Amino acid sequence: MTVTLEPAVHGDRVSLLRVLGPAHVWALGVGIVLVGEFTGWNFAADKGGALAALIVCWVVGLLYTSVAMIDSEVTSTVAAAGGQYAQAKHIVGPLMAFNVALFLVFAYTMLEVSDAILLGDTIVAKAGVEGLTHNSFIAATIVVLAWLNYRGVLMTLNVNFVITAIAYISIVILFFSVSPWTQGAVLKLNELVTPGNALPYGWIGVIAAFQFGIWYYLGIEGTTQAAEEVRSPARSLPYGTMAGMITLLIAAAMTWYVCASMMPWEYLGITYYPLWDAGKLTGSPLLENLLFVATLLAALASANGCINDAARAWFSLGRDRYLPTWFSAVHPRYRTPYRSILFLLPIALAFAFIADLNQAITFSILSGVLQYTFMSINIMMFRKKWPLGSIRRGYTHPFHPIPAIVLFCLCVVTFFAIFLGFGSQLIAMVAFYFLISLWFHFYRYRFVRRGDQFTMPWPKPQGI
Amino acid sequence: MWMALSYACWGISIVLALWMLYDWFKVDTTFSEEVLTSSREGELEAVSEKHRI
């Protein structure tokens, strides 16, 4: 078999392939996130009760709507693989960019690990066979999806679109199967959520619930990693991201309503499978099996998108020499960052075999919230350095600076919530990023070609 | 059936991992490092977008 070099996009160079449209952007963002409806969000009920899970659904929804709007504006202008990394590099500076890229790689790799563990555990729970472990299913999830990513971005995100759509439709089917317009037949919200138990720990429980409320939407910002592979980034990225956010808000509301109406908060807050359990509680084997399959598909879609995004962030670091350029290789046939995909593969496998689900999820959430905090600062600097009218924007988000301020305040609340539950992990992670920043500043940055890293043909920023 | 599925998962994982290693080796020995690492950020924007309002 011979490897044929397809016509390169720019002269003799081998670049990532621009083949994606808005539907792929939607599939990437919603695919990464939707698993959070199948598990994760419900732990918010354990922290603060069923009503707290609903409050954080909407308040964290506000946080992510701000993220989606801000991200859409900046990415429609800085359309490069690496997403928020490329934004940080151009707007804040190299040290911030290096940290943001690490946030991205950690957030997506740990989420991929969590997805694989969830998928393995779900199959083992369904099988109920003594001696069956989740290891083989974890390995297959990570390796098969890495192979898919290795072979090309178009097929990867076509697959993600199909399996994400099936998982999403399963939530809609469950919702309409339980007669949501009637209370007392299947749904018993009035009995399960009462004034006496709605907020069992008061408002501090609501604050604590923020930590897991993140799961309703964690990863929607991953759409920006496709910036270099969409045909029309200025149009596709805002459209796909905002459509994804609307989709998720609807899914989150339906999920809470069905689950809180069928399970007491004490159980809802500890189960790993809220939607699958809701399917079982309907008494319909068809719905039970549908939600089982949908849980697996949601985990697969999320892991698939995470491999895509983590590899592109790592690839971008190599391309700018923030890491060895070896990582910036593009496969001449499949046009994918194949070395980055292969490098991250054994790391994900190692974490999946040795880490537990809670640790992996916590590291993913922490890295995600660090990134959102950066985004609130980033947009303020972006609007200040390049005001409206100074450069072309594919999308301009409304009400600036209110979304940035809301985002920053909600990130602070979320950090406090994480500190309440996982204080030592929070401190350890911040210490890690501090040390790695010292390494980058005092050692690695000498290898960077400083003029080459700033690639956007923008005018000189104001005030500099 | 579940145990068989588990063994099949190990098999598929090993086969695909070996295929990726083989393809990696083949690509790296067929193409020069300059070609493989020739991707540059923002080239399309530099060509098509002048950022004139």
Side-chain angles (χ1 to χ4, degrees), chain A residues 85-426:
Chain A
Y85 156 76
Q87 299 173 15
K89 186 177 64 177
H90 286 87
I91 297 166
V92 184
L95 183 59
M96 186 75 244
F98 179 71
N99 275 277
V100 168
L102 291 185
F103 300 160
L104 290 166
V105 173
F106 265 89
Y108 293 124
T109 304
M110 289 296 113
L111 187 51
E112 173 198 349
V113 166
S114 307
D115 294 329
I117 295 172
L118 171 72
L119 187 138
D121 287 348
T122 307
I123 292 174
V124 170
K126 174 76 173 174
V129 175
E130 198 174 333
L132 183 70
T133 66
H134 65 193
N135 286 345
S136 58
F137 304 110
I138 287 174
T141 301
I142 293 174
V143 174
V144 171
L145 294 177
W147 174 79
L148 193 61
N149 274 272
Y150 187 101
R151 297 267 302 184
V153 71
L154 184 62
M155 179 55 79
T156 299
L157 294 186
N158 279 339
V159 169
N160 238 38
F161 183 82
V162 173
I163 61 180
T164 303
I166 293 171
Y168 191 87
I169 290 167
S170 76
I171 297 176
V172 177
I173 290 173
L174 174 68
F175 181 75
F176 285 107
S177 301
V178 295
S179 308
W181 48 83
T182 311
Q183 279 290 331
V186 183
L187 304 182
K188 296 185 167 105
L189 190 63
N190 292 344
E191 296 171 29
L192 293 171
V193 184
T194 64
N197 72 7
L199 293 176
Y201 306 118
W203 286 99
I204 190 69
V206 177
I207 300 291
F210 267 70
Q211 179 187 348
F212 292 106
I214 293 285
W215 270 97
Y216 282 114
Y217 316 100
L218 178 69
I220 185 64
E221 73 285 354
T223 53
T224 59
Q225 296 296 326
E228 212 163 305
E229 289 154 289
V230 290
R231 285 187 296 267
S232 174
R235 184 181 70 91
S236 299
L237 288 171
Y239 186 68
T241 306
M242 301 303 275
M245 197 58 218
I246 293 166
T247 309
L248 289 168
L249 285 165
I250 295 168
M254 286 194 296
T255 301
W256 180 90
Y257 182 66
V258 171
C259 293
S261 301
M262 297 182 83
M263 288 168 255
W265 71 271
E266 295 94 335
Y267 178 77
L268 182 61
I270 58 169
T271 179
Y272 275 90
Y273 312 108
L275 279 171
W276 186 21
D277 285 346
K280 287 178 187 169
L281 289 169
T282 62
S284 161
L286 185 66
L287 279 175
E288 179 186 339
N289 287 321
L290 176 66
L291 269 299
F292 164 71
V293 172
T295 304
L296 300 185
L297 293 181
L300 276 174
S302 182
N304 197 24
C306 286
I307 293 171
N308 179 88
D309 283 4
R312 273 140 190 87
W314 199 254
F315 159 80
S316 301
L317 282 172
R319 194 163 58 175
D320 286 329
R321 296 173 180 266
Y322 286 30
L323 290 175
T325 51
W326 187 83
F327 291 115
S328 69
V330 174
H331 196 292
R333 185 177 185 195
Y334 304 127
R335 304 291 191 85
T336 54
Y338 69 110
R339 285 181 186 162
S340 293
I341 293 169
L342 289 174
F343 176 76
L344 293 172
L345 170 60
I347 294 173
L349 277 175
F351 272 104
F353 288 143
I354 61 171
D356 71 28
L357 189 56
N358 282 335
Q359 294 286 344
I361 287 173
T362 304
F363 280 125
S364 180
I365 290 176
L366 268 173
S367 296
V369 179
L370 282 166
Q371 188 196 143
Y372 306 145
T373 311
F374 145 76
M375 286 167 69
S376 63
I377 300 164
N378 188 50
I379 186 67
M380 300 292 271
M381 294 181 69
F382 184 54
R383 282 287 183 102
K384 191 176 175 194
K385 288 183 174 178
W386 291 278
L388 297 182
S390 62
I391 55 173
R392 202 175 80 186
R393 288 163 157 85
Y395 168 81
T396 304
H397 83 275
F399 311 123
H400 178 79
I402 294 171
I405 294 168
V406 168
L407 177 58
F408 185 83
C409 293
L410 291 176
C411 284
V412 171
V413 174
T414 309
F415 275 125
F416 180 65
I418 294 171
F419 185 76
L420 291 177
F422 293 89
S424 55
Q425 283 93 337
L426 178 61

Side-chain angles (χ1 to χ4, degrees), chain A residues 71-94:
Chain A
D71 225 17
S72 293
E73 176 172 332
V74 185
T75 300
S76 69
T77 313
V78 189
Q84 290 83 3
Y85 156 76
Q87 299 173 15
K89 186 177 64 177
H90 286 87
I91 297 166
V92 184

Side-chain angles (χ1 to χ4, degrees), chain B:
Chain B
M1 182 193 83
W2 293 103
M3 293 306 286
L5 185 64
S6 175
Y7 291 130
C9 284
W10 281 124
I12 291 167
S13 304
I14 291 166
V15 168
L16 292 182
L18 288 175
W19 182 89
M20 284 189 282
L21 289 173
Y22 165 72
D23 188 73
W24 174 21
F25 173 77
K26 196 174 67 177
V27 168
D28 279 15
T29 52
T30 305
F31 297 94
S32 72
E33 196 65 12
E34 287 72 31
V35 170
L36 295 174
T37 59
S38 60
S39 168
R40 293 291 175 267
E41 182 186 283
E43 285 176 322
L44 187 70
E45 283 67 34
V47 170
S48 65
E49 299 187 17
K50 304 297 181 193
H51 288 285
R52 289 194 182 122
I53 306 296

